[in-house]
Amino acid sequence: EAQVTQNPRYLITVTGKKLTVTCSQNMNHEYMSWYRQDPGLGLRQIYYSMNVEVTDKGDVPEGYKVSRKEKRNFPLILESPSPNQTSLYFCASSFWGATEAFFGQGTRLTVV
Amino acid sequence: GQNIDQPTEMTATEGAIVQINCTYQTSGFNGLFWYQQHAGEAPTFLSYNVLDGLEEKGRFSSFLSRSKGYSYLLLKELQMKDSASYLCALTNMVTGGGNKLTFGTGTQLKVEL
């Protein structure tokens, strides 16, 4: 089954404790990205990757890191989480060009 | 930059037709998407318009006018399961590697009996 898999689905952590949210896709998509979704603000892009070893900042990259060592995986790293990073996070992937994006199930992160 | 406007909420009756509007301002327009998102779940693709006109897909249709910066999503024969948020999103070949989706804040549709 074609899918984007994120883990964990839910996470509560404390300020400053490094964490990684994993994302994996099995559709051989070149393009992957991370979004956060906050009430009243909609989905905003954090980082994106056009292919292996090619990543760039989206609209709200501060406090986040990513890597793309393999085509299928695109982890999101929070080196020192803060409460303002409490949000619902989605990973998405698609083929190159303006094509349909497939989203992961979401990760609800709470930083206390 | 890009700016997208959608109504925040709409209510409609089961079996009826509802039109959800989206207006936008952008440079480097490449295409307009509609996604459906149930509460707490992932957005799922509904439709994509790159040229002016109407795209029909079962109970869902989407219209685009690039000259007016306007799109709408038309839902027919509404069902209770259509209660969800509907997201209008633009792609722009100039930014984000061409695949970047810029989303509106979404229209929360409530279908009532």
Side-chain angles (χ1 to χ4, degrees), chain A residues 31-93:
Chain A
Y31 192 92
M32 297 186 74
S33 58
W34 277 101
Y35 293 87
R36 61 178 288 174
Q37 187 172 34
D38 302 289
L41 296 177
L43 283 151
R44 295 176 292 167
Q45 192 185 58
I46 302 169
Y47 267 93
Y48 67 92
S49 170
M50 290 189 281
N51 217 320
V52 177
E53 302 291 2
V54 181
T55 64
D56 207 347
K57 297 176 181 178
D59 295 321
V60 288
E62 293 77 22
Y64 304 95
K65 285 175 58 177
V66 293
S67 68
R68 187 91 181 271
K69 293 184 170 59
E70 305 164 288
K71 196 171 187 178
R72 62 185 293 124
N73 295 324
F74 190 47
L76 179 70
I77 303 156
L78 285 74
E79 294 269 1
S80 183
S82 62
N84 64 12
Q85 293 178 298
T86 292
S87 187
L88 179 59
Y89 291 85
F90 288 101
C91 178
S93 72

Side-chain angles (χ1 to χ4, degrees), chain A residues 6-13 88 105-110, chain B residues 40:
Chain A
Q6 286 178 234
N7 279 296
R9 292 289 312 276
Y10 301 92
L11 179 61
I12 301 174
T13 191
L88 179 59
Q105 320 95 301
T107 296
R108 188 167 292 280
L109 172 66
T110 301

Side-chain angles (χ1 to χ4, degrees), chain A residues 10-29:
Chain A
Y10 301 92
L11 179 61
I12 301 174
T13 191
V14 296
T15 299
K17 185 176 181 181
K18 180 180 179 180
L19 66 92
T20 299
V21 184
T22 63
C23 174
S24 181
Q25 51 94 4
N26 62 1
M27 294 167 279
N28 202 35
H29 287 161

